[in-house]
Amino acid sequence: MTDANQQGASPAPQQGHSIETMQVEERRFPPSAAFAAQANAQPAIYDRDFDELWSTEAGRLDWFEPWTELYSWNPPQAEWYIGGKLNVCHNCVDRHVLAGRGDKVAFHWEGEPADEIVPITYSDLQSRVVLFANALKKLGVQKGTAVAIYMGMVPELPVAMLACTRLGAPHTVVFGGFSADSLGDRMVDMGCTVLITQDEAWRRGKPVGLKIIADEALELAPNVQTVIVAQRTFAPVAMQAGRDVFWADACAGLSDDPASCPCEPMDAEDLLFLMYTSGTTAKPKGIAHTTGGYLVGAATTHHYVFDHKPETDVYWCAADIGWITGHSYIVYGPLANGATSVLYEGTPDFPAHDRWWEIVERYGVTILYTAPTAIRSHMKWGAEHAAKHDLSTLRLLGSVGEPINPEAWIWYHEHIGGARCPIVDTWWQTETGMILIAPLPGVTTTKPGSATKPFPGVDVGVFNEAGEEVGPGGGGYLVLKKPWPGITRGIFGDPERFQDVYWSRFPGVYFAGDGARIDEDGDYWLLGRVDDVMNVAGHRMSTIEIESALVSHPAVAEAAVAARADAITGQAIVAFVTLRSGFESSVAMLEELRNHVAHVISPIAKPANIVFTPELPKTRSGKIMRRLLRDVAENRPLGDTTTLADPSVVGELQDRAAGENAGEE
Ligand code: PRX
């Protein structure tokens, strides 16, 4: 089905465009009439005026004091809902209980050991949050106290975040897979005085000692004076007298009555949290998000992009809360909208490859949001695992984090969505706080591999080097021309770096660092990070198109390409390929894949060589690290590997690359 639909277009260089595009994806998925009729978004949403839209949508929140000015914009500084006062915990928890929805499940929490299942209603959530907020208060936390949180996917994690927001204490959640150094650096940078962690976390059937890692981090961060330790496994842990206290002991004897701990009225522009994101070399950036604009943005996009119906949907964002996706689309957006969500502690393959599908069946999940890397893992494991379960409750699927290869999109559509669910491919970033480019289900005709249209009230463009719009058909740099409510207010403590990274390439315009092209219908195709663009014989090509061509071969589960220097063509393409289960690497397979790329895209995109590998090097959030693949392709020492999820993967790849030059021309 693939080749017939993905014919190679002309590879002639496109004048004035920064990145060439060669792949043409012709498959179209218009919304069904039935979905369209019930959809939250209707076509007229695209006609809405910017000011009207963001003013009206702010009405989905409760404001203690109304805002007086919609936004101000002095690049790079934006402010939204100026003068407004609100509280995030009130909007995410208390108001639902006050409205009589206390018995509704907020989270179906499921532990990695499958026998642990805890439904948490909005009333339960309120009690837990109030109790813990009282504990924090007693330990000296108040409005403005910086709190670090280092936990796995346990109920105490959202409870801790919400308790901070109740008191007006900004938090930084550090993903539970990060090292002691990463945690220590972040706690120092934010000036945290409190850390909330847990004894151990479950990871693929094994306990991981988070408290031990936290203790190491605390040596680097003497500013932290109080450590609260939730007990997940009840393993014995070292507790430092005067500094460390167990969660249960901190809460003992305190009230869970909401009146005992009112929600602090916060200014719309008060800091809500920092989310650190690693640059390629320098120290991580503390991306700042504030209260009002962030919450309006997360709630509004969650409502429309996921077509969320609080009364009937069971929503599951399978990310980790330690990333921005989990902040905006597990915790803040869905809770603001009164959602019933699944919160799952473990990995997709424990104890077996069908764990996710078992969960979908158990809770009757209707909306599933995940990442291309997870979808490709499921492809690698085989569709039979999903086929064992009843997935008929699903009605919408989402993707985020990387460009999704068209073949992975089709696999997701057929094997998970039963060919009936719209797929929303959502483009956004830690810095944007909220989805900015995505289909609106029921309105948008989707195309596998395209994030389609800017969200209403979001002004996106694609510029060439000179800062001119490339227009339909062209590839270039993705930019945002106007602010949006969830835009980061800056890099914590480093305004110069903020200016430099995002605002210096095109003055007054936000440069996202991604390449993109717009097609004749005005749909956006994300091309990956511009740093990854390759130049082969004068053709500037994105990695994603060649990777997608490889993934469109039935033997391939996952592929990544990188360039190495070449005396004749300037750069030559090296592909790293993971085969689906049941296929073997061989010289014949290598030739077949090279020819497949030549056929699907163009002979100039044909990889010079292919390295077969069981795993690709990825960051802990699942993104392929092409920078390291470049080092492997060039046969040079590896750059910084500290952000790798599994450092052993690249060492193995170097060995394989050294032994496999068979495909070289
Ligand atoms: O390169 C884009 C890619 O992920 C980057 C943002 O990463 P992060 O800040 O970790 O946030 C991930 C979750 C929002 C972007 O600059 N990216 C994210 N979503 C997509 C994507 N690339 C293509 N298509 C997407 N849907």
Side-chain angles (χ1 to χ4, degrees), residues 143-488:
K143 184 173 174 173
T145 308
V147 176
I149 305 178
Y150 180 62
M151 304 184 95
M153 291 280 284
V154 290
E156 287 83 352
L157 172 52
V159 167
M161 294 163 76
L162 291 162
C164 286
T165 68
R166 192 173 190 92
L167 301 175
H171 59 66
T172 189
V173 179
V174 179
F175 171 60
F178 271 127
S179 64
D181 282 357
S182 309
L183 173 60
D185 286 352
R186 286 157 171 76
M187 292 193 295
V188 169
D189 188 72
M190 193 180 180
C192 298
T193 52
V194 176
L195 168 67
I196 305 165
T197 186
Q198 67 189 71
D199 50 6
E200 294 181 324
W202 284 116
R203 184 120 194 119
R204 228 177 242 114
K206 295 199 185 75
V208 179
L210 293 191
K211 177 61 164 64
I212 294 171
I213 300 169
D215 281 338
E216 237 182 275
L218 287 159
E219 285 180 21
L220 308 170
N223 42 311
V224 177
Q225 285 139 27
T226 306
V227 179
I228 303 164
V229 184
Q231 286 166 287
R232 169 72 183 103
T233 63
F234 289 87
V237 288
M239 297 290 280
Q240 184 175 308
R243 186 194 69 182
D244 302 356
V245 55
F246 284 119
W247 178 294
D249 295 341
C251 294
L254 300 177
S255 171
D256 66 356
D257 175 357
S260 70
C261 186
C263 293
E264 184 73 32
M266 301 298 286
D267 190 272
E269 282 301 326
D270 277 336
L271 182 63
L272 180 62
F273 66 81
L274 299 184
M275 168 56 64
Y276 283 85
T277 169
S278 16
T280 40
T281 48
K283 75 175 183 104
K285 303 173 280 212
I287 301 298
H289 285 289
T290 57
T291 305
Y294 171 80
L295 197 60
V296 172
T300 305
T301 48
H302 177 258
H303 174 78
Y304 289 113
V305 176
F306 297 106
D307 190 48
H308 176 252
K309 310 279 197 294
E311 298 315 321
T312 45
D313 277 318
V314 179
Y315 165 85
W316 185 19
C317 168
D320 192 287
I321 291 177
W323 309 118
I324 192 70
T325 305
H327 279 51
S328 301
Y329 299 108
I330 297 178
V331 180
Y332 295 120
L335 290 178
N337 290 336
T340 292
S341 294
V342 170
L343 189 62
Y344 169 52
E345 183 183 34
T347 50
D349 54 348
F350 187 85
H353 288 141
D354 67 339
R355 182 65 187 271
W356 272 21
W357 317 123
E358 190 182 289
I359 291 174
V360 168
E361 182 172 4
R362 178 154 38 248
Y363 302 103
V365 171
T366 58
I367 302 170
L368 176 66
Y369 189 31
T370 184
T373 181
I375 298 163
R376 293 187 305 252
S377 293
H378 288 291
M379 282 171 73
K380 183 167 80 180
W381 298 329
E384 64 273 21
H385 304 292
K388 278 190 262 174
H389 296 277
D390 178 5
L391 308 183
S392 64
T393 50
L394 286 171
R395 66 179 196 92
L396 185 104
L397 303 174
S399 171
V400 61
E402 285 184 291
I404 180 165
N405 318 102
E407 253 5 84
W409 194 106
I410 293 289
W411 189 94
Y412 196 30
H413 177 70
E414 288 178 357
H415 295 287
I416 307 305
R420 75 184 171 272
C421 303
I423 295 184
V424 290
D425 173 3
T426 63
W427 178 87
W428 59 296
Q429 308 178 298
T430 302
E431 295 85 342
T432 72
M434 55 187 263
I435 293 168
L436 295 188
I437 307 177
L440 289 179
V443 178
T444 312
T445 291
T446 55
K447 303 172 182 175
S450 171
T452 72
K453 300 277 193 291
F455 190 79
V458 174
D459 195 357
V460 185
V462 178
F463 281 5
N464 64 15
E465 298 278 355
E468 300 149 347
E469 298 267 4
V470 298
Y477 303 98
L478 186 72
V479 296
L480 280 305
K481 296 181 285 184
K482 230 174 157 175
W484 59 96
I487 185 174
T488 176

Side-chain angles (χ1 to χ4, degrees), residues 53-129:
L53 185 140
W54 291 120
S55 303
T56 310
E57 297 299 337
R60 61 179 65 252
L61 301 186
D62 272 6
W63 297 81
F64 295 153
E65 282 178 37
W67 46 273
T68 50
E69 197 186 334
L70 180 62
Y71 73 105
S72 71
W73 179 225
N74 303 301
Q77 222 47 62
E79 294 191 353
W80 280 84
Y81 306 113
I82 296 162
K85 298 261 189 284
L86 74 167
N87 181 280
V88 168
C89 186
H90 169 80
N91 275 286
C92 290
V93 183
D94 292 51
R95 66 170 172 151
H96 302 310
V97 179
L98 288 169
R101 295 191 294 269
D103 292 338
K104 185 178 197 293
V105 172
F107 290 117
H108 289 288
W109 181 75
E110 179 161 325
E112 192 184 82
D115 53 342
E116 293 184 69
I117 289 175
V118 183
I120 301 165
T121 65
Y122 276 91
S123 292
D124 299 335
L125 188 60
Q126 186 182 43
S127 304
R128 287 182 181 225
V129 169

